[in-house]
Amino acid sequence: ERERAETPAGYAPGRRRSYELLRALYGDTASQVVGSLRAIRAFGQQWSLVPEAARAFFRAAREITAKLQEQPDLEPWLKKDGTFCWRLIAGECVLSAHSFGIAFDIGVKRGATYWRWSPLRPHPLQQTYAPDIVRAFEDQGFIWGGTWHEFDLMHYEYRPALICKA
């Protein structure tokens, strides 16, 4: 959709995570996760994700690459700002989804930001961020952090079970 509804306070589909499940699926330590990562090339950059997320990312990237022919203005949104990194979520005491190789960040230089860094509520990009990019990744099982009230506009996270449930 070109325009998205404002997200109500507390609305964050997929932001709550079962860390017990993530550790069981992807690894309990940084070295376990690193051992399973797959490097793929897309948009002229290398991305490191767990195999399932890498395959889904590649499928979305093929669709987006085809759209770049008619919408070259999408390209700046596709600059990688992070994939795997074993770390805590900024300002919290739980691991980031990046720690499990299921998340990536893009578009920071284009204005994709994080709710703790921006005073804007809602953030204008929550309604106008490139819908073709969001749709391509969501169709492959990723959740976009722009749907959250406490937004993370740069963030995409592979969570196909939640997308199917929704």
Side-chain angles (χ1 to χ4, degrees), residues 43-105:
F43 314 124
Q45 303 157 91
Q46 183 167 304
W47 308 76
S48 296
L49 298 163
V50 293
E52 302 87 356
R55 286 190 294 272
F57 182 99
F58 195 72
R59 288 189 301 269
R62 276 197 319 245
E63 180 180 332
I64 294 167
T65 299
K67 290 195 180 296
L68 283 171
Q69 301 291 333
E70 57 195 57
Q71 297 179 59
D73 58 318
L74 293 178
E75 188 171 2
W77 288 103
L78 301 169
K79 298 298 179 210
K80 178 178 75 171
D81 290 300
T83 55
F84 170 77
C85 181
W86 190 268
R87 64 172 177 81
L88 298 178
I89 295 172
E92 298 186 29
C93 58
V94 293
L95 285 172
S96 163
H98 292 275
S99 301
F100 299 99
I102 60 170
F104 64 92
D105 292 337

Side-chain angles (χ1 to χ4, degrees), residues 100-123:
F100 299 99
I102 60 170
F104 64 92
D105 292 337
I106 58 174
V108 172
K109 291 183 178 142
R110 292 288 294 171
T113 189
Y114 184 58
W115 70 277
R116 291 184 190 266
W117 306 340
S118 173
L120 301 175
R121 300 287 185 278
H123 194 283

Side-chain angles (χ1 to χ4, degrees), residues 8-27:
Y11 185 78
R15 194 161 195 266
R16 293 181 183 90
R17 302 167 183 99
S18 167
Y19 288 94
E20 186 175 314
L21 178 61
L22 291 175
R23 288 176 185 276
L25 289 172
Y26 304 115

Side-chain angles (χ1 to χ4, degrees), residues 129-146:
Y129 186 103
D132 289 326
I133 293 173
V134 173
R135 190 175 306 110
F137 284 115
E138 284 182 341
D139 285 351
Q140 296 303 323
F142 288 90
I143 293 170
W144 176 49

